Amino acid sequence: DPALEVASIPVSPVNGVGGQIRVGELVNIYRLKREQEIIEGERLFEEMGDAIQVAPVLVVAVLSDQGLPASTNPDQIMPMQILVVAAPPEGIDAILEAVAMSELGNELLWVTLATPSQ
């Protein structure tokens, strides 16, 4: 759809349904904020805040870290590292902000399979 903008996001198999995402599927992108409890300079524990849904998006490509199509074929293991998604232009800002926050280490980026009704 020419009305959609396409962007790539880094996603490890652990954060992306075990790498079982396929082209053409609808996925949800979530931001999970890490919260730490610190008393007198000592970190007591780390917990996750509420998940914030960034966007449901269409998967355009699932790529390895080399930009080639990801594969779990035993002869050619190339796990998913990059997810290419299409979203309306107003949704891309939220997606890129979620990626930036996950790169800063303050939040986690998580991808789930969306229900078809979304």
Side-chain angles (χ1 to χ4, degrees), residues 70-116:
S71 169
T72 55
N73 180 333
D75 296 333
Q76 185 182 16
I77 297 176
M78 297 176 66
M80 171 184 78
Q81 296 293 319
I82 303 166
L83 198 58
V84 181
V85 297
E90 60 273 8
I92 290 293
D93 285 346
I95 293 168
L96 296 178
E97 182 179 347
V99 170
M101 295 307 290
S102 71
E103 294 292 319
L104 292 173
N106 191 30
E107 296 183 355
L108 292 175
L109 187 71
W110 216 270
V111 177
T112 66
L113 293 175
T115 58

